[in-house]
Amino acid sequence: MTTALIASDWYIIPVFPSGYDLKGLETLWRTVEKVRERYNPGLKLLGVLLGNFDSRPKLDSDIQKMLSQKFGSKVVFATTIHRSVKHREASVYSQTIFEHAPGQQASEQYLSLAREVLARLEEAIGKKEDEEPPIELMEANRG
């Protein structure tokens, strides 16, 4: 994990609503601070993602509220990945969620997350929607 953080500009914190993940947040935070101090002062948090979420247990909702209070509602992604058997099935069948469950809630949540991630990155780097991509990118996309 440390090597990935050293090589990254941004990181996302995935959190499942469990005590283990909440305790892991402290460890991750210490690791991020060490990486910033020693190797990568420009490392930035893109957001906190709540996954494996089930709206029925009170615990899941409580953890969602706690994350918003701790990190702020602008840091916690609006998209939440809900618990679904489709995620496990896709893994077993060696498919992406988009191949296994196209158009279903499980894949639509990941599509929503991707859009949210892109929007945050565009906002952070100041890219305007009407700007042309750099010529190098356009040429690389041509094959």
Side-chain angles (χ1 to χ4, degrees), residues 13-64:
I13 300 175
V15 179
F16 282 11
S18 77
Y20 294 115
D21 277 29
L22 295 178
K23 289 178 184 173
L25 278 175
E26 295 173 24
T27 303
L28 174 63
W29 204 253
R30 285 192 302 270
T31 301
V32 166
E33 288 306 311
K34 286 180 186 176
V35 167
R36 279 188 183 137
E37 290 171 10
R38 297 178 186 171
Y39 307 107
N40 186 355
L43 181 63
K44 296 171 280 306
L45 174 62
L46 187 62
V48 176
L49 172 66
L50 184 58
N52 204 29
F53 182 77
D54 186 345
S55 58
R56 294 170 295 189
K58 185 178 181 315
L59 174 66
D60 290 26
S61 297
D62 288 348
I63 289 175
Q64 187 177 35

Side-chain angles (χ1 to χ4, degrees), residues 122 126-132:
E122 287 173 354
K127 180 180 178 222
K128 295 177 181 58
E129 289 185 24
D130 57 346
E131 283 183 359
E132 287 285 323

Side-chain angles (χ1 to χ4, degrees), residues 60-122:
D60 290 26
S61 297
D62 288 348
I63 289 175
Q64 187 177 35
K65 288 175 191 166
M66 186 272 309
L67 289 172
S68 289
Q69 289 171 352
K70 180 173 178 65
F71 291 100
S73 59
K74 289 189 178 191
V75 174
V76 177
F77 285 103
T79 302
T80 299
I81 307 299
H82 290 255
R83 181 176 298 140
S84 171
V85 70
K86 296 295 181 190
H87 299 123
R88 295 190 329 231
E89 290 173 354
S91 176
V92 168
Y93 301 134
S94 299
Q95 295 179 320
T96 68
I97 193 65
F98 303 107
E99 294 166 325
H100 181 67
Q104 294 185 23
Q105 182 184 25
S107 61
E108 291 300 315
Q109 289 170 350
Y110 278 99
L111 190 56
S112 174
L113 175 63
R115 288 183 182 121
E116 198 171 349
V117 166
L118 289 173
R120 286 186 186 198
L121 288 172
E122 287 173 354

Side-chain angles (χ1 to χ4, degrees), residues 127-142:
K127 180 180 178 222
K128 295 177 181 58
E129 289 185 24
D130 57 346
E131 283 183 359
E132 287 285 323
I135 292 173
E136 309 87 59
L137 288 179
M138 290 178 9
E139 289 174 357
N141 287 333
R142 289 189 187 132

